[in-house]
Amino acid sequence: MRNFAFESIILRIWKEQRNSFVNLLLARNVDYNYLRLYSLDRIEGVNLTDAHFVLPKDFCAKEYFAEYFGIV
């Protein structure tokens, strides 16, 4: 199991064909400073901290996911 810090940005829930759901979390990995999608069913635990972050004013989830297809 790996531990790392991330700043959550948006939770996306998709309904698949067989009435199952895919839950993905778009977050910024603090150590590497990049955005990544994390599958919630693979996260084993979460520790809350007192750290705060501000979502960039120019971030638009619709634009971010515009070129994605499939379950995303």
Side-chain angles (χ1 to χ4, degrees):
M1 179 172 68
R2 297 181 312 191
N3 293 319
F4 52 88
F6 62 84
E7 299 170 338
S8 58
I9 295 174
I10 189 171
L11 176 64
R12 295 286 307 243
I13 302 172
W14 285 272
K15 184 176 180 183
E16 290 191 315
Q17 294 176 355
R18 297 180 196 95
N19 290 329
S20 61
F21 293 87
V22 176
N23 302 309
L24 299 174
L25 176 68
L26 176 64
R28 184 182 78 85
N29 183 302
V30 173
D31 296 329
Y32 297 105
N33 193 29
Y34 64 83
L35 295 180
R36 181 173 177 171
L37 284 171
Y38 297 95
S39 178
L40 291 186
D41 65 334
R42 298 192 64 169
I43 296 175
E44 295 180 5
V46 175
N47 295 320
L48 298 178
T49 68
D50 292 329
H52 292 87
F53 74 98
V54 176
L55 185 64
K57 290 182 181 182
D58 62 343
F59 179 78
C60 176
K62 187 173 184 177
E63 289 178 12
Y64 182 84
F65 288 105
E67 296 184 18
Y68 281 77
F69 61 92
I71 65 166
V72 182

